[in-house]
Amino acid sequence: MELIIFARCFKGIVLREALRFIHQKERFFSALVRPLVWLGIFAAGFRSVLGVAIIPPYETYIPYEVYIAPGLIAMIQLFNGMQSSLSMVYDREMGSMKTMLVSPIPRWFLLISKLLAGVFVSILQVYAFLLIASIWDIIPPISGYFTILPALIVSGLMLGSLGMFLSSAIKQLENFAGVMNFVIFPMFFASSALYPLWKIEETSEWLYYVCFYNPFTYAVESIRFSLYSQVNIEYTIGILVFTLIFLFLSILGYDPARGNLQKKGGK
Amino acid sequence: MTVALEIKNVSHNFGKFTALDDVSLNINSGDFTVLLGLNGAGKTTLYSLITRLYNNNSGTIKIYGFDVRENPVNALKNIGVVFQQPTLDLDLSVKENLQYHSSLHGISSEEANKRIDNEIGRIKLDEKIKSKVRSLSGGQRRRVEIARSLLHKPKLLLLDEPTVGLDIGSRQMILDHVKSLCKKNNLAVLWATHLIDEIDKGEKVIVIHKGSVIESGDVSKIVKKTKTKNIRDAFNKLVGI
């Protein structure tokens, strides 16, 4: 199969996702409001309670708002990843997922294209968030706006493929709400998004290990370091490994020979 | 005559439930074939296997000689599908939906636009091309889905209960359209339905019941074999209702 065919297919999938995003203005609005509420209300309340010591990549004492900004960026991607997989469950129940899956183009390529299309949308949301966050004096170095991009692509892929894997394993839309509760909230709270890991270790050792091995922590920290144009090898390797694992599982989940699709029957 | 679809000894289970049991059938190019069965007979499962939504663990499915499992790229290229459930994106326009489908088959934008204009003209929905699908009636949506299934110029068209839920006028219009496509373009069509009045004299019918093909042949042959007056009575006798 020629390369141009793959390129046209990729363009079509990204364009469709972008069009859906433009048509659903409320989705963009709610994706922005959520982290802004955290930033404007939660962070304002907690800044006096929580003291954040100087930890890399920061070189000075920082307000709490600055600390949680990377976590909120990852939160945007987490919600976006889950939302696009939610739309995959919806698409599958409604049938429109089938039109994609019966394309002659290899399924792994279709799924990765769909994931990247979702990542593209989440990146638009992140930059809109960063623009508004500058009101709270969350202003990284100019280079940070560029160096954050690779981290956003990888973390978006990781969270999107986790969502895609979940969508392949979930039979009905109703079940997805439960997964949101069991995945989104534990992932977000048991991570370094809201508090640094050393602070968690002071409180509870087992919780520290939960947070440390939580893939979301790797997304948050990769974003945090990249926002300040730095690379943390440990987190970078971690996020790449998690991304590959979730990608593999999601492609397997939609594989007609081994996947979850045909176990469900009818859908 | 070229064999468009060849299914040999295909069975499929969902856990302990046998959805298809040793199904074999052939469809030739230019044939309009009706897959007749009650709800739950196994029609949709069979379509899911032909389109590789599910993997066939037993038997073989070939589309114009290409095995679906071993050579899915060439096999799927030749298939156009209209699923039982509506599969258009309601928030996109008719044209955007069709462009999306074209891209999934690697068709260039220029070529896609030509084909879209052609197919939309054929189903007489030119004035709706920029409308959101949400604003279309059920019958119009179905016609758009048929137009979409033809954009990549398939040689085998699979339609799974395409007229369910439509009014009589829309049903007839869609049926006539597909039958004329079959004749004009030498397209092989497999039309799954439980609506007996969609079958005309001389057409080939495959009766599927509880996952098995229990009869196949043209209408007159089945009527004669079952010693009944018409295909309705023949079907009722075959499935025991």
Side-chain angles (χ1 to χ4, degrees):
Chain A
M1 198 174 269
E2 293 168 46
L3 208 61
I4 185 81
I5 290 179
F6 285 90
R8 285 173 190 152
C9 174
F10 178 71
K11 185 183 142 198
I13 292 174
V14 174
L15 199 66
R16 178 192 184 238
E17 205 66 28
L19 283 170
R20 277 168 65 101
F21 182 67
I22 292 165
H23 292 317
Q24 297 171 349
K25 289 182 187 69
E26 61 280 5
R27 186 176 150 194
F28 182 68
F29 185 68
S30 67
L32 270 182
V33 164
R34 198 178 301 117
L36 289 174
V37 165
W38 278 85
L39 195 61
I41 302 171
F42 180 84
F46 270 70
R47 74 182 301 179
S48 53
V49 182
L50 292 170
V52 181
I54 301 173
I55 48 163
Y58 308 109
E59 289 162 354
T60 172
Y61 282 105
I62 45 150
Y64 186 58
E65 287 92 331
V66 172
Y67 177 80
I68 68 163
L72 298 180
I73 290 172
M75 181 205 226
I76 293 174
Q77 290 201 299
L78 177 67
F79 269 90
N80 194 75
M82 294 299 149
Q83 202 156 20
S84 54
S85 57
L86 172 80
S87 79
M88 286 176 83
V89 177
Y90 178 82
D91 280 359
R92 208 184 53 223
E93 278 203 7
M94 297 301 133
S96 52
M97 185 74 183
K98 287 179 182 171
T99 56
M100 188 176 97
L101 296 179
V102 299
S103 156
I105 290 166
R107 196 168 286 185
W108 63 265
F109 182 82
L110 297 168
L111 295 172
I112 290 179
S113 300
K114 176 127 177 93
L115 276 176
L116 285 171
V119 173
F120 169 71
V121 167
S122 80
I123 288 174
L124 292 179
Q125 293 168 350
V126 167
Y127 278 107
F129 169 76
L130 279 172
L131 190 73
I132 301 171
S134 60
I135 299 168
W136 278 271
D137 273 339
I138 298 164
I139 304 170
I142 296 292
S143 63
Y145 288 103
F146 299 98
T147 51
I148 194 180
L149 195 57
L152 289 178
I153 293 172
V154 180
S155 62
L157 260 180
M158 180 186 83
L159 297 167
S161 50
L162 171 66
M164 187 178 274
F165 169 64
L166 292 174
S167 78
S168 76
I170 294 160
K171 195 171 174 181
Q172 286 174 323
L173 212 55
E174 291 74 26
N175 299 350
F176 202 80
V179 171
M180 299 284 270
N181 280 337
F182 287 106
V183 176
I184 288 192
F185 293 123
M187 268 189 110
F188 181 67
F189 288 113
S191 76
S192 62
L194 298 178
Y195 3 80
L197 288 179
W198 67 265
K199 200 123 189 159
I200 298 165
E201 197 177 13
E202 272 183 358
T203 323
S204 158
E205 199 174 344
W206 71 265
L207 187 59
Y208 165 76
Y209 284 111
V210 170
C211 296
F212 184 76
Y213 291 108
N214 177 357
F216 191 67
T217 295
Y218 291 79
V220 173
E221 293 307 312
S222 298
I223 291 168
R224 190 187 308 284
F225 278 89
S226 65
L227 193 58
Y228 291 86
S229 303
Q230 293 181 34
V231 176
N232 179 303
I233 298 293
E234 196 181 26
Y235 290 125
T236 307
I237 292 172
I239 195 172
L240 287 172
V241 169
F242 278 122
T243 305
L244 287 175
I245 291 171
F246 292 147
L247 257 181
F248 176 75
L249 288 175
S250 59
I251 292 169
L252 201 69
Y254 277 93
D255 184 326
R258 287 175 288 271
N260 298 314
L261 279 188
Q262 65 178 339
K263 291 178 193 155
K264 298 178 211 315
K267 299 287 175 205
Chain B
M1 197 171 275
T2 318
V3 179
L5 173 66
E6 184 188 1
I7 299 178
K8 263 189 195 167
N9 310 112
V10 167
S11 298
H12 197 77
N13 301 310
F14 294 114
K16 285 180 184 170
F17 174 71
T18 303
L20 290 176
D21 187 14
D22 200 27
V23 169
S24 296
L25 56 93
N26 271 5
I27 292 175
N28 295 324
S29 60
D31 272 0
F32 182 91
T33 308
V34 178
L35 183 65
L36 186 63
L38 300 171
N39 289 333
K43 302 187 294 291
T44 301
T45 304
L46 187 62
Y47 276 45
S48 298
L49 290 168
I50 300 170
T51 53
R52 209 175 166 260
L53 283 171
Y54 303 160
N55 195 45
N56 59 311
N57 295 318
S58 64
T60 53
I61 300 173
K62 287 183 180 172
I63 292 146
Y64 285 92
F66 295 110
D67 192 300
V68 170
R69 197 166 48 178
E70 284 163 15
N71 197 344
V73 173
N74 284 316
L76 293 174
K77 250 187 213 174
N78 287 311
I79 308 179
V81 200
V82 177
F83 291 106
Q84 188 176 357
Q85 297 154 305
T87 56
L88 293 167
D89 199 321
L90 301 181
D91 293 317
L92 300 187
S93 71
V94 170
K95 190 167 188 173
E96 286 165 349
N97 266 286
L98 299 183
Q99 282 171 330
Y100 172 60
H101 177 84
S102 305
S103 71
L104 289 177
H105 285 263
I107 303 167
S108 72
S109 315
E110 198 185 346
E111 180 62 25
N113 287 336
K114 265 190 226 163
R115 292 188 193 182
I116 290 167
D117 288 343
N118 186 28
E119 291 300 335
I120 286 292
R122 199 145 62 159
I123 58 166
K124 298 182 178 64
L125 281 177
D126 310 66
E127 78 282 4
K128 296 280 183 188
I129 195 156
K130 286 183 182 167
S131 308
K132 289 252 177 84
V133 170
R134 198 177 287 282
S135 68
L136 268 54
S137 70
Q140 289 171 330
R141 289 181 195 181
R142 270 302 189 211
R143 276 148 66 198
V144 172
E145 285 190 302
I146 292 169
R148 181 180 63 178
S149 70
L150 297 168
L151 283 174
H152 57 286
K153 299 191 187 297
K155 292 190 273 183
L156 168 66
L157 189 58
L158 304 170
L159 302 104
D160 189 4
E161 309 240 14
T163 56
V164 165
L166 301 182
D167 60 61
I168 296 169
S170 301
R171 269 178 60 189
Q172 198 55 50
M173 190 185 286
I174 287 168
L175 197 58
D176 292 345
H177 178 56
V178 174
K179 284 183 181 177
S180 82
L181 283 171
C182 183
K183 272 184 195 158
K184 281 183 199 163
N185 303 4
N186 200 34
L187 199 65
V189 174
L190 183 60
W191 177 283
T193 188
H194 65 273
L195 303 167
I196 294 169
D197 54 356
E198 291 179 349
I199 305 167
D200 283 339
K201 277 178 189 170
E203 279 170 356
K204 195 179 164 192
V205 177
I206 297 168
V207 182
I208 186 167
H209 187 58
K210 292 182 178 170
S212 299
V213 171
I214 53 171
E215 196 54 78
S216 69
D218 60 40
V219 173
S220 55
K221 183 193 148 193
I222 294 176
V223 170
K224 197 173 169 187
K225 202 171 169 187
T226 50
K227 293 174 185 161
T228 50
K229 286 178 192 165
N230 52 45
I231 189 68
R232 181 180 296 277
D233 292 346
F235 178 70
N236 289 347
K237 192 173 178 183
L238 284 166
V239 300
I241 50 173

